[in-house]
Amino acid sequence: MSDVDDKVKPLRDPARRGFLGKAGGLAAAVGGLAASSAANASIAQDQAPAALAAKNGIEPFWGVHQGGITTPQQEHTYFAAFDLVTAKRADVIALLNAWTEAASRLTRGDTAAALGDNPEAAPGDSGDALGLPPSRLTITFGFGPGLFSSNGVDRYGLAARRPAALVDLPRFNGDQLVPEKTGGDLCIQACANDAQVAFHAVRQLARLAYGTAVIKWVQTGFQSNPAGGGTPRNLMGFKDGTNNPSQRDPKLMDQFVWAGDEGPAWMKNGTYTVVRRIRITLEHWDKMEVGFQEQVVGRHKYTGAPLGKHKEFDVADLDAKDADGNSIVPDNAHMRLSAAQTNGGAQILRRGYSYNDGANFYIERWPPWRQEMEYDAGLFFVAHQRDPRTGFIKINHNLAVGDIMNQFITHVGSGIFACPPGARAGSFIGAGLFEGLMT
Amino acid sequence: MLPQLHNKPVKAAARKVMGGALVGALAALSMPAAHADEPKGFLETVHKHVTLVNTVPDNGDQNPYALVVAPVSAGSIQKDDVLIDNFNNAANLQGLGSTIVDYNPTTKALTKFAQLPRDLPECPGGIGLSTAMTMLKTGWVIVGSTPSNDGTTTTKGAGCLIVLDPHGKVASVIGGPNVNDPWGNMAVVDKGDTATLFVSNSGFGVGSPNDKSGPDGEPPVIKESTILRIELAIADGKAPVVTSQTVVAGGFGEQADKGVFLIGPTGLALGKDDKLYVSDALGNRVTEIADASTRTTSGGVGREVTKDGLLQRPLAMVTAPNGHLLVTNGLNGKVVEIDPDSGKQIYAQWIDTDKAQTPPGNGDLFGIVMTPAGDGFYYVEDDVNTLVLAK
């Protein structure tokens, strides 16, 4: 069976990519991938099958770690934060079970649940992704502070199990956080190479949460990778992520990203994720001299090289001076203030996306205080780390106080989440948190 | 050839984005007329600009305005500390800032000296701390409020002057019909048991920035601003009491403005022979009021000392040890040195060269105050909420 077949065959419980929804095992899913790839290749004959398979393929769901953290970055994201509305721990457990099962299906290109054949019942999936490939969908779940206590109330008997590293983020200088883009008791980040697949996934999961959790805020994002490979560019036109620790280096990931034995056992091999919705005043930025832009960032715009260097991955010389004794990389440049060397070796894994949510009326918060219609666009910053206290909080404190880029960016949304380790098939995401509390 | 005195080969010990070679040409003194090799003024003795601290307190207030150097140690304040108030709140709305922070140059620590309540009886419109601030030798701190509820003059109130004890607690409020948006930096004669404050009031008759009734559709210029002299008596251990109020000057232009809240007379500085100098922002000039401490009537806008030239919307003003006036420009990042006797503009130094604004430093400068030793000055950079020392 192929995707092409789906287009002519009456829908009767079809799997998204053309094999029966009842096929639930990993082996079946892998088999499905091959069939799907072949079908797509026949449709898009001008695309190399291998490349297409890589773009459309399946990312594993079950495993030691959740997907979507060190997974090579897909091109689209759909992030949703939820507030829990139930008073019962059992409801939370049931939701996480349902989410885990549905996510495992969705990531392999299946429907969230079997569609069913009862014409008087709502189908098990909205159906808008039928026929679409898995698109390397990953679904990453996180627990916000509100799962452990909300307004001082320990709703689910979990307060004592809150990891010390899951701190409430402090207020940073310049923060203009709005409640409708901040916080959340739970979060889901779907990443995929197809925006529709990512939204479809979160939509199905949100539907499963009815009565237990409600959406608090969402954010979409995009990040197209250069055709020739390499570091993608953000909306400021600069390469973003050059200084990231390599996701391909397990030792670095263990050192900076994955929680170890220092915290609760249920978080081991998980990570702590900070998200920030950072609006960039693109109109203002676009008028700046490129030389000034480079001084603000601390890098050459087109090569991505640190100022004073020639290649993107040349090591920045933060001690270098010009003939007058002035720093080559300015003291208040973004790259300097965020560099590991400036932060006692602190590193985080940034996995952000650009966003563009149209335009709104804004009053700029720097002279000369323009008041006009401007893009609501910027960076949906996503950073994973072993401990936010020595990661994002430490680094962002420096940036919030001294970064000259603050004249162009404003943090308007925020969230912090403990993303537990991956799940074994038959278990559910975050099961360890509830050990001994399953009733 | 004119001497090229780069004001900030270093804005700090090392180059920052806004300083250094990138803007070296801009950073040079602008000298309309000078003779080589002869020291002409104070600014050429200033070589280094060091960013000292980010001035934003815990509550997120933004936009540092007034600067005061503490003349004495009192309460939580140490002598020579720099007090800085904030005009904007955390949401960056102008006229809602409510905090005064204290920077200790020795420890380099920034602490919150005072957080005023949003509303105070006798202070119409609430609290939005302006550039009018002083600390008396008796330890009392007096600060002006030019308040708003929405960040614009649409909702402005008349405000007041607030007297704080040296622990930052409100002791009393000075208001009344002569006070309407005390705006610019004060000039002060402090004799201990008495003190004289000169305060510019820039709110009389100012309406909304959306009022388009000016000749070109802009908010109208109202010529009702005043300079008020307030005499205080300070009994031992008691809060200052107002003994008299006299309008000594008036008729300067004032105008509501969407971007900068309002534009009006801002800088006040005392010179020799009892002369009071006023920076008239809209008139783009500095004027002189004679017999400032004794006159019983308004001197109007006074005698024009200098106009235009290097001035680009003059704001806060201070007297340098050589008797010259240093005035910050609102529309570029320059400070201009003026010989008030001759009316000559000596030169200007581009102290804020932040290219994020056009021209560099546009809208960034406001407060300025001399160091206790008189060997430099402190100023604020509103673009990045910092206190800078130039010396």
Side-chain angles (χ1 to χ4, degrees):
Chain A
M1 193 179 290
S2 74
D3 290 356
V4 177
D5 292 336
D6 284 343
K7 291 176 182 167
V8 294
K9 184 175 181 286
L11 282 175
R12 180 159 295 256
D13 210 0
R16 230 176 68 198
R17 292 176 305 101
F19 59 91
L20 289 176
K22 289 171 186 171
L26 185 61
V30 171
L33 169 64
S36 173
S37 298
N40 280 310
S42 69
I43 294 167
Q45 292 175 3
D46 56 337
Q47 297 189 45
L52 206 56
K55 185 178 169 72
N56 293 341
I58 293 177
E59 291 290 345
F61 178 76
W62 309 106
V64 175
H65 307 295
Q66 290 197 69
I69 297 168
T70 57
T71 307
Q73 193 162 347
Q74 303 95 322
E75 294 179 353
H76 299 276
T77 194
Y78 197 98
F79 172 92
F82 294 79
D83 274 344
L84 285 158
V85 294
T86 181
K88 298 176 188 168
R89 182 171 64 228
D91 289 347
V92 179
I93 294 171
L95 175 63
L96 292 172
N97 265 298
W99 274 0
T100 303
E101 169 61 17
S104 72
R105 294 172 58 100
L106 289 163
T107 52
R108 65 178 183 251
D110 209 338
T111 52
L115 293 175
D117 53 7
N118 179 358
E120 295 182 354
D125 186 290
S126 57
D128 50 300
L130 289 172
L132 299 180
S135 305
R136 295 191 52 233
L137 172 69
T138 55
I139 299 172
T140 315
F141 298 95
F143 299 158
L147 173 64
F148 300 91
S149 68
S150 182
N151 298 318
V153 179
D154 182 4
R155 292 181 289 179
Y156 311 118
L158 297 173
R161 300 188 178 198
R162 177 174 173 170
L166 185 65
V167 292
D168 293 316
L169 289 177
R171 185 186 188 285
F172 294 98
N173 180 40
D175 277 2
Q176 304 278 314
L177 305 183
V178 294
E180 55 271 28
K181 292 287 183 186
T182 297
D185 299 338
L186 303 171
C187 78
I188 299 172
Q189 186 184 12
C191 300
N193 281 334
D194 183 321
Q196 186 166 341
V197 168
F199 174 47
H200 170 262
V202 173
R203 180 180 168 194
Q204 311 315 306
L205 299 172
R207 169 183 164 181
L208 292 172
Y210 289 165
T212 302
V214 295
I215 283 181
K216 182 171 172 61
W217 62 285
V218 301
Q219 184 61 53
T220 60
F222 55 89
Q223 183 221 254
S224 296
N225 292 308
T231 310
R233 293 181 185 273
N234 61 24
L235 294 182
M236 291 177 134
F238 279 77
K239 295 186 176 186
D240 197 340
T242 304
N243 266 346
N244 257 346
S246 172
Q247 293 151 282
R248 293 188 293 274
D249 186 333
K251 281 187 182 171
L252 284 177
M253 294 300 96
D254 283 344
Q255 184 179 352
F256 293 114
V257 177
W258 302 124
D261 293 322
E262 68 278 2
W266 68 266
M267 265 302 290
K268 185 174 180 179
N269 293 316
T271 192
Y272 296 90
T273 300
V274 172
V275 299
R276 307 281 283 185
R277 186 178 190 269
I278 304 172
R279 185 176 163 260
I280 304 172
T281 311
L282 298 175
E283 295 85 349
H284 189 189
W285 181 253
D286 288 347
K287 292 176 190 162
M288 296 295 105
E289 300 166 9
V290 68
F292 178 71
Q293 292 184 4
E294 292 180 334
Q295 295 247 314
V296 168
V297 175
R299 289 184 178 278
H300 294 291
K301 186 163 189 174
Y302 303 116
T303 63
L307 290 184
K309 301 288 183 180
H310 300 289
K311 294 178 182 170
E312 180 186 356
F313 292 100
D314 285 349
V315 176
D317 184 353
L318 299 181
D319 298 323
K321 310 282 187 194
D322 65 15
D324 296 324
N326 300 314
S327 300
I328 298 290
V329 178
D331 286 4
N332 49 5
H334 181 81
M335 184 270 279
R336 173 188 287 275
L337 293 174
S338 57
Q341 301 99 296
T342 312
N343 293 282
Q347 290 198 64
I348 55 180
L349 179 63
R350 287 169 290 141
R351 201 174 182 279
Y353 287 85
S354 294
Y355 78 86
N356 168 25
D357 289 347
N360 272 316
F361 182 80
Y362 287 102
I363 301 174
E364 292 185 1
R365 68 183 186 95
W366 37 75
W369 297 285
R370 290 182 189 83
Q371 303 180 22
E372 59 191 14
M373 288 297 289
E374 294 181 342
Y375 293 117
D376 181 5
L379 174 68
F380 182 56
F381 172 93
V382 180
H384 307 295
Q385 62 240 276
R386 187 167 177 170
D387 189 331
R389 295 168 296 185
T390 52
F392 173 78
I393 293 172
K394 183 183 178 76
I395 296 167
N396 197 52
H397 176 77
N398 264 353
L399 292 170
V401 170
D403 188 359
I404 196 69
M405 192 183 284
N406 291 336
Q407 293 180 97
F408 303 94
I409 62 173
T410 306
H411 290 229
V412 295
S414 179
I416 183 168
F417 302 93
C419 296
R424 288 176 285 106
S427 183
F428 64 94
I429 295 288
L433 170 63
F434 299 90
E435 205 166 276
L437 298 173
M438 290 296 186
T439 56
Chain B
M1 181 180 166
L2 298 177
Q4 291 294 298
L5 297 177
H6 294 265
N7 72 315
K8 30 183 174 183
V10 278
K11 175 135 191 186
R15 182 171 65 179
K16 300 199 310 177
V17 166
M18 59 189 77
L22 177 68
V23 287
L26 295 174
L29 290 172
S30 308
M31 306 181 74
H35 195 275
D37 303 321
E38 282 182 26
K40 292 290 181 185
F42 178 80
L43 287 178
E44 64 203 75
T45 69
V46 171
H47 297 294
K48 201 166 179 179
H49 293 242
V50 180
T51 300
L52 299 174
V53 71
N54 185 292
T55 55
V56 178
D58 290 345
N59 78 342
D61 275 3
Q62 310 268 315
N63 208 2
Y65 261 26
L67 287 176
V68 167
V69 173
V72 294
S73 293
S76 58
I77 301 170
Q78 299 299 307
K79 183 176 184 298
D80 297 343
D81 281 2
V82 184
L83 299 179
I84 309 134
D85 74 11
N86 291 296
F87 188 54
N88 296 16
N89 67 1
N92 213 30
L93 295 174
Q94 300 183 84
L96 282 98
S98 60
T99 48
I100 303 171
V101 293
D102 179 327
Y103 174 75
N104 183 310
T106 305
T107 65
K108 305 189 187 310
L110 185 86
T111 53
K112 187 158 66 185
F113 165 66
Q115 164 124 39
L116 279 70
R118 174 71 196 127
D119 294 300
L120 275 178
E122 305 170 305
C123 195
I127 299 298
L129 299 183
S130 71
T131 321
M133 185 163 71
T134 190
M135 180 179 180
L136 301 177
K137 292 172 185 169
T138 43
W140 301 98
V141 173
I142 303 174
V143 63
S145 172
T146 297
S148 166
N149 278 318
D150 67 351
T152 79
T153 50
T154 305
T155 57
K156 86 170 190 65
C160 64
L161 292 162
I162 303 138
V163 181
L164 303 166
D165 73 16
H167 296 282
K169 297 281 182 290
V170 177
S172 63
V173 173
I174 301 169
N178 289 327
V179 175
N180 197 315
D181 296 339
W183 179 242
N185 70 279
M186 290 189 207
V188 179
V189 179
D190 186 358
K191 295 177 178 170
D193 56 353
T194 63
T196 304
L197 313 180
F198 295 91
V199 180
S200 65
N201 290 280
S202 298
F204 290 110
V206 170
S208 166
N210 300 317
D211 179 348
K212 297 177 180 171
S213 62
D216 297 315
E218 76 282 14
V221 173
I222 314 292
K223 297 205 169 180
E224 296 179 15
S225 65
T226 64
I227 310 299
L228 181 67
R229 185 179 73 221
I230 300 173
E231 301 287 354
L232 301 174
I234 306 115
D236 212 16
K238 303 278 188 186
V241 174
V242 177
T243 55
S244 72
Q245 295 185 13
T246 308
V247 174
V248 297
F252 301 98
E254 15 165 57
Q255 185 179 34
D257 188 274
K258 263 187 187 171
V260 299
F261 196 74
L262 67 79
I263 309 167
T266 304
L268 298 176
L270 284 162
K272 60 188 178 186
D273 301 329
D274 201 22
K275 289 170 181 166
L276 177 70
Y277 297 99
V278 182
S279 73
D280 176 8
L282 280 171
N284 202 35
R285 61 183 174 171
V286 173
T287 70
E288 170 192 291
I289 310 299
D291 305 320
S293 66
T294 58
R295 66 181 311 124
T296 56
T297 58
S298 170
V301 297
R303 181 183 73 85
E304 187 172 288
V305 174
T306 184
K307 182 179 170 73
D308 297 336
L310 295 169
L311 295 176
Q312 287 287 331
R313 190 182 289 171
L315 298 178
M317 190 160 60
V318 70
T319 309
N322 62 1
H324 291 177
L325 300 170
L326 303 179
V327 58
T328 55
N329 271 344
L331 294 180
N332 58 32
K334 291 180 181 180
V335 59
V336 181
E337 180 166 345
I338 298 163
D339 178 351
D341 292 339
S342 65
K344 194 167 164 184
Q345 297 179 15
I346 310 294
Y347 39 49
Q349 195 179 82
W350 210 314
I351 63 173
D352 187 315
T353 52
D354 187 353
K355 285 191 164 189
Q357 289 84 41
T358 307
N362 180 8
D364 294 352
L365 298 178
F366 221 114
I368 184 170
V369 67
M370 298 305 297
T371 58
D375 59 348
F377 56 87
Y378 293 103
Y379 62 99
V380 290
E381 294 187 329
D382 291 348
D383 48 338
V384 285
N385 295 290
T386 52
L387 172 68
V388 184
L389 171 63
K391 60 186 282 189

